[in-house]
């Protein structure tokens, strides 16, 4: 990831507002992915264990769903 790209937005109020708004969702997505990888599970295996579809896990991990 190119952190210099994001650095230029640090003082932008619109960026700060959006970052705050989506931080919880993105933190949750990161944690789901981290735990899944730690277990060595595929998205399909996690979906089966959670009684949902693999597509739902994919959307959660990408931050596109909550």
């Amino acid at each position: 990831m190119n952190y210099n790209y994001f650095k230029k937005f640090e003082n932008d109020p619109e960026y700060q507002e959006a970052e705050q708004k989506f931080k919880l969702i993105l933190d949750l997505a990161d944690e789901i992915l981290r735990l899944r990888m730690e277990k060595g599970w595929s998205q399909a295996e996690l979906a089966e264990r959670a009684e949902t579809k693999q597509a739902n896990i994919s959307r959660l991990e990408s931050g596109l769903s909550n």
Side-chain angles (χ1 to χ4, degrees):
M1 183 179 295
N2 186 345
Y3 292 103
N4 290 330
Y5 175 80
F6 292 105
K7 192 113 175 107
K8 68 181 179 181
F9 295 110
E10 282 181 343
N11 296 320
D12 183 331
E14 278 186 63
Y15 178 82
Q16 291 174 347
E17 182 180 338
E19 185 179 48
Q20 246 346 82
K21 181 178 178 182
F22 295 108
K23 182 175 181 357
L24 182 60
I25 293 170
L26 295 175
D27 287 349
L28 178 61
D30 287 344
E31 188 67 5
I32 291 169
L33 176 60
R34 185 188 69 75
L35 291 169
R36 180 178 65 77
M37 298 298 286
E38 189 176 282
K39 294 281 188 183
W41 295 345
S42 66
Q43 287 183 345
E45 186 172 1
L46 176 55
E48 184 178 323
R49 290 170 182 264
E51 299 180 359
T52 189
K53 296 180 180 181
Q54 179 272 330
N56 293 333
I57 300 301
S58 177
R59 284 192 292 276
L60 281 171
E61 289 182 353
S62 66
L64 297 176
S65 181
N66 57 21

